[in-house]
Amino acid sequence: MANKKRNEFLTAFSHYMTDHLEDECPRSWKECPPSFWEELIFAYLPHTMKVVPKKNYTEQFLLQLRKFVRWLDKRNDTTFLEVVVSYISEATQTLKKYESLFSELFLKNYPGLHLPDRDCMKEIGCLDKRMEEFDETTYGVFEVTKVNDDGIVLLDLHSHYSYFTKSISHEKAELEMIITGCFGKKKHAFLWDLAFIDGIYPKRA
């Protein structure tokens, strides 16, 4: 099990360097600035978040990251651990909360994700039918700009239009939370409903 978790982390870390950073990836470990680790934790981790039954993907990723950096420092005579531990301490509670909310919203569309007899095509069909019920849809990157008992207000960071929704609990949403996904509105409706979620990020991402 330990080897499996380590291998999963190393695979994700490899994708971070090759697919996410691409040409901006440092040429050597000694050239890695603090921003390399900051982006990994605050942006890449929530971007590649996996919905797991125990909702502990964040916890396991950061645990393996800490172990990896400790090994890296010993092997390459680098001093990354202090800054990485600082970022981990700062990010952990927020990212764990966001993972829990992301899992909850994702499973609304794919409730059978962890079932052995999951009917994937049926879930996709239900989502397609749901999308057809909307008169308008908008996909984008949204920032939570207002939270109250009535719902939350989202600002589209590209168009700068605002959207009001009750699809996300006001008790779990936070100001400056970044949400990527699709929202839809039925004809003559005022509220926008979450159609599907792609990610939840801290503002720092």
Side-chain angles (χ1 to χ4, degrees):
M1 180 61 73
N3 288 340
K4 180 181 179 182
K5 293 183 182 301
R6 182 178 67 243
N7 291 339
E8 288 176 349
F9 166 78
L10 292 174
T11 298
F13 189 74
S14 175
H15 288 165
Y16 170 65
M17 294 190 293
T18 57
D19 300 336
H20 184 78
L21 295 179
E22 296 184 307
D23 295 338
E24 296 180 4
C25 186
R27 292 175 295 179
S28 72
W29 290 117
K30 292 184 182 295
E31 294 181 21
C32 289
S35 59
F36 173 89
W37 305 104
E38 182 181 25
E39 185 170 349
L40 172 67
I41 293 169
F42 289 93
Y44 185 74
L45 170 53
H47 176 67
T48 58
M49 185 71 65
K50 293 183 179 179
V51 178
V52 295
K54 294 183 179 180
K55 297 182 180 179
N56 63 345
Y57 183 81
T58 296
E59 184 178 344
Q60 290 299 322
F61 184 97
L62 295 177
L63 174 63
Q64 294 300 325
L65 174 60
R66 188 192 296 256
K67 291 180 179 180
F68 174 75
V69 173
R70 184 180 292 112
W71 170 84
L72 190 66
D73 279 352
K74 290 181 179 179
R75 184 175 185 273
N76 293 278
D77 195 29
T78 50
T79 56
F80 296 132
L81 187 60
E82 183 177 354
V83 68
V84 170
V85 168
S86 175
Y87 287 143
I88 289 175
S89 297
E90 184 179 349
T92 298
Q93 291 308 312
T94 295
L95 293 183
K96 286 174 67 175
K97 284 192 299 183
Y98 288 8
E99 176 183 358
S100 178
L101 178 57
F102 174 72
S103 297
E104 175 187 318
L105 296 173
F106 187 89
L107 289 172
K108 287 184 177 181
N109 285 333
Y110 304 101
L113 180 64
H114 299 127
L115 298 177
D117 57 347
R118 178 190 181 193
D119 189 339
C120 183
M121 296 308 299
K122 180 179 179 180
E123 292 176 341
I124 293 174
C126 289
L127 178 58
D128 288 342
K129 184 177 179 181
R130 176 172 169 76
M131 294 296 293
E132 292 173 358
E133 295 174 354
F134 295 124
D135 187 56
E136 297 178 60
T137 59
T138 180
Y139 179 87
V141 180
F142 306 89
E143 179 181 348
V144 176
T145 57
K146 188 175 182 179
V147 180
N148 56 41
D149 292 345
D150 296 324
I152 67 173
V153 177
L154 302 167
L155 176 68
D156 187 316
L157 296 181
H158 176 70
S159 69
H160 300 292
Y161 291 141
S162 290
Y163 302 88
F164 183 66
T165 183
K166 290 187 176 182
S167 294
I168 301 172
S169 169
H170 68 274
E171 296 178 347
K172 298 182 179 180
E174 297 179 348
L175 290 176
E176 298 187 332
M177 173 187 282
I178 304 298
I179 297 171
T180 57
C182 180
F183 289 82
K185 184 168 72 73
K186 297 178 181 179
K187 194 171 184 178
H188 305 305
F190 173 69
L191 288 172
W192 289 79
D193 294 323
L194 178 65
F196 61 83
I197 187 85
D198 272 347
I200 302 179
Y201 307 78
K203 175 73 171 181
R204 192 164 174 174

